[in-house]
Amino acid sequence: MKRIGILTAGGDTPALNATIYGAVLRASQLRMEIFGFIKGFSSLLNPRLPHVHLNPLLQVIPELDATLGGTGLGASRDYLPGDDPGLVDEILVRLDQLGVEGLICIGGDGTLNGLQPLTERLPVVLAPKTIDNDLGLNYPSEPDEWYRDDGEAYHRKESKVVFNQEHMVNYVTPGYATAVFDTAMGVERVRTTAESHRRIAIIEVMGRHSGYISLGSAYGRPDIVLVPECPVRIDPLVERIQDLYDLQKNVVIVCGEGIVDEEGNELGSSQQTTDPAGNVILSGAAESLRAMLIERMGDNYFSSRRRGESASAAIFVRKVGHTQRGGRPVLFDRFYASKLGGKAVDMLQEGHNNAVVVLQWGREQGFYVDSFAGHRLRDRWGQIHARPMHASFYDEERMKPSQVGIDYLLPIFTSAIGHDDVEHIRHTLFDSGNLMLPYHSINTDINKRIRYLQ
Ligand code: F6P
């Protein structure tokens, strides 16, 4: 291959530039040209095909900085409709006109579903990204456990597989470590204010229906972690909160945005998106939980302990929000994201199509990159499901990560932060120039490099 394309689809993550960087570096080594498409699939849908040459003269353009969060190429939640062959024809004509012979899509489960229409006609490889860490499988046969009822709604059979970390497909995805870093720091910070004011904090974290971010937030030492995979049982929860409150006069609870009640209903509300994986936008879980606790614990409980204050004054909610999706990626994410980007280029060169680059882990070898056929992530009906956190990672009684969950987290986080991550804060945050000079956006520079089809 002489020329390939790359794009970033779906929600952004902090490690996207690192993946692009790894891909551009590897393409240059292989003497391949690489073009970046602007704002994900939206570029391909645009007749002018906005694009940037990322390695003119086989040199990485200087704007591409692996330590920058977000994506210099821009991202969008636009996907290709699966039922419009005419549109795919048009896209292929455009790519052909540009001389692009293969495509790398950096994305998650939605992107993998979305790139499908192209794979019959052009080699396409997915390089993974998601802060939710829900792209992959807990074990290779997981997709076979899905079945559909008469109304075509999906359900899951109870698994008979003995879980083994080494059998996970895509152990961890770039973006997750940085999101957990940010979340754990947020938890630590909320703690001291909850402690000082004798309050109960509920901190909502992202992750949709997968509890990985909540699980990882345990590094910030919350008292209680609630994950979407395990329904909230209000009585034991209230009992645990009261025990803790009586002892330490503050409680910090982390809840995933997708937590459900005992009937399996989401505590927050959900809103449909354009994502072909069926991903929804979730909001309000922590607020609902707060309302439940206010009702169950009542003002009496607090007024005797907080000199007349109400339950609503004592229980507060904070969302970590988009800070967990933005900013500088930590060392773990940068390093493996760029390796995955490089591997994606190798895979195109070796003739892979409809395949995924994965980050595997083994007790002997640690982390290593590998390839996995896209179809092996699909169920019988072709759907890719977000990977739930494996049930064994969570201790329902203690409402904390289990030993298996701890064993899962350790390889990722033990050396996740580099010295330069810390030095970066020291050198840049209180730089006097920050007060005087306007922010210089990478978009301003990339805009100067955008070209269009004639
Ligand atoms: O999938 C990543 C994610 O950050 C989820 O954790 C979250 O639910 C969703 O995207 C939020 O999407 P957006 O910020 O694009 O509305």
Side-chain angles (χ1 to χ4, degrees):
M1 274 183 195
K2 295 244 174 316
R3 190 179 277 185
I4 59 172
I6 190 164
L7 57 82
T8 47
D12 70 339
T13 77
L16 290 168
N17 284 321
T19 309
I20 302 170
Y21 187 85
V24 178
L25 206 60
R26 185 67 186 136
S28 306
Q29 285 166 353
L30 295 172
R31 311 196 66 74
M32 270 183 193
E33 289 188 300
I34 179 162
F35 284 69
F37 295 111
I38 300 300
K39 285 186 66 195
F41 289 109
S42 145
S43 169
L44 306 192
L45 293 164
N46 181 338
R48 299 176 71 212
L49 193 66
H51 58 271
V52 172
H53 191 178
L54 296 171
N55 62 344
L57 304 176
L58 300 178
Q59 297 292 322
V60 185
I61 57 168
E63 292 84 353
L64 196 50
D65 178 350
T67 68
L68 271 190
T71 161
L73 294 177
S76 71
R77 292 198 191 275
D78 287 335
Y79 293 97
L80 308 183
D83 54 356
D84 190 346
L87 192 66
V88 174
D89 286 343
E90 287 170 23
I91 291 172
L92 285 159
V93 169
R94 281 172 214 144
L95 291 175
D96 194 47
Q97 214 178 320
L98 195 64
V100 165
E101 298 167 84
L103 181 66
I104 297 171
C105 297
I106 311 177
D109 53 335
T111 310
L112 190 54
N113 276 323
L115 59 79
Q116 204 53 29
L118 286 178
T119 57
E120 307 278 309
R121 317 269 298 274
L122 181 84
V124 188
V125 162
L126 183 96
K129 67 89 211 175
T130 159
I131 62 163
D132 303 343
N133 200 24
D134 58 356
L135 177 71
L137 302 171
N138 286 306
Y139 35 85
S141 60
E142 199 173 21
D144 306 335
E145 292 172 357
W146 289 99
Y147 66 93
R148 297 206 300 198
D149 62 21
D150 296 344
E152 300 198 350
Y154 273 106
H155 307 276
R156 185 91 188 255
K157 284 189 229 157
E158 202 182 315
S159 174
K160 302 274 184 290
V161 175
V162 178
F163 180 76
N164 181 337
Q165 270 166 266
E166 291 187 304
H167 298 164
M168 288 179 81
V169 175
N170 199 36
Y171 191 93
V172 59
T173 302
Y176 173 63
T178 307
V180 166
F181 164 76
D182 199 72
T183 307
M185 296 237 296
V187 173
E188 269 187 1
R189 286 178 180 274
V190 170
R191 166 70 77 181
T192 53
T193 165
E195 251 169 352
S196 308
H197 290 272
R198 280 51 172 155
R199 299 174 91 186
I200 296 175
I202 307 175
I203 305 173
E204 184 180 304
V205 301
M206 286 185 173
R208 299 191 203 268
H209 299 106
S210 296
Y212 285 100
I213 299 182
S214 320
L215 189 85
S217 75
Y219 275 107
R221 295 167 62 196
D223 301 296
I224 294 174
V225 172
L226 301 174
V227 294
E229 290 81 355
C230 183
V232 175
R233 290 187 298 131
I234 194 72
D235 291 334
L237 177 62
V238 168
E239 202 179 304
R240 181 97 189 96
I241 293 172
Q242 290 184 342
D243 277 355
L244 285 160
Y245 195 83
D246 288 345
L247 175 73
Q248 61 190 34
K249 314 250 175 292
N250 72 97
V251 183
V252 175
I253 305 167
V254 168
C255 81
E257 61 186 0
I259 53 169
V260 296
D261 63 19
E262 286 175 79
E263 279 74 52
N265 301 316
E266 278 153 16
L267 259 62
S269 62
S270 66
Q271 206 187 311
Q272 216 49 50
T273 67
T274 54
D275 192 324
N279 282 326
V280 290
I281 296 290
L282 298 165
S283 62
E287 279 298 349
S288 303
L289 183 62
R290 175 174 180 262
M292 284 161 78
L293 294 180
I294 289 173
E295 196 198 313
R296 292 299 288 261
M297 295 176 77
D299 289 340
N300 282 348
Y301 176 80
F302 290 101
S303 54
S304 59
R305 290 166 176 81
R306 290 171 54 85
R307 301 213 304 139
E309 258 189 5
S310 63
S312 58
I315 308 176
F316 72 107
V317 162
R318 283 297 167 269
K319 264 185 153 184
V320 181
H322 284 76
T323 57
Q324 70 204 289
R325 221 170 76 181
R328 192 179 195 271
V330 295
L331 175 69
F332 181 92
D333 276 345
R334 290 199 306 275
F335 183 76
Y336 289 109
S338 56
K339 267 180 162 298
L340 289 160
K343 174 76 177 171
V345 175
D346 284 336
M347 283 169 62
L348 278 182
Q349 177 77 347
E350 288 160 13
H352 290 261
N353 179 24
N354 197 1
V356 184
V357 199
V358 286
L359 184 57
Q360 298 298 108
W361 180 83
R363 270 174 199 85
E364 294 291 313
Q365 63 272 59
F367 287 103
Y368 59 97
V369 291
D370 206 348
S371 59
F372 196 76
H375 280 317
R376 294 192 61 196
L377 291 169
R378 295 176 190 286
D379 70 18
R380 274 168 275 175
W381 295 272
Q383 187 69 16
I384 291 166
H385 301 268
R387 172 176 67 187
M389 183 199 71
H390 194 265
S392 66
F393 286 11
Y394 185 67
D395 181 335
E396 195 177 339
E397 293 308 310
R398 289 175 53 249
M399 301 179 204
K400 290 268 185 79
S402 65
Q403 189 54 51
V404 183
I406 292 171
D407 291 344
Y408 169 77
L409 295 170
L410 290 177
I412 307 170
F413 291 101
T414 304
S415 312
I417 301 177
H419 292 287
D420 65 311
D421 290 324
V422 184
E423 277 302 291
H424 170 80
I425 302 173
R426 222 164 65 81
H427 284 297
T428 62
L429 189 62
F430 293 135
D431 185 325
S432 58
N434 292 353
L435 299 174
M436 293 170 244
L437 300 169
Y439 180 73
H440 184 79
S441 171
I442 185 176
N443 293 353
T444 317
D445 294 328
I446 291 288
N447 278 345
K448 296 174 192 161
R449 290 189 176 269
I450 296 180
R451 301 287 177 270
Y452 301 91
L453 284 185
Q454 295 305 313

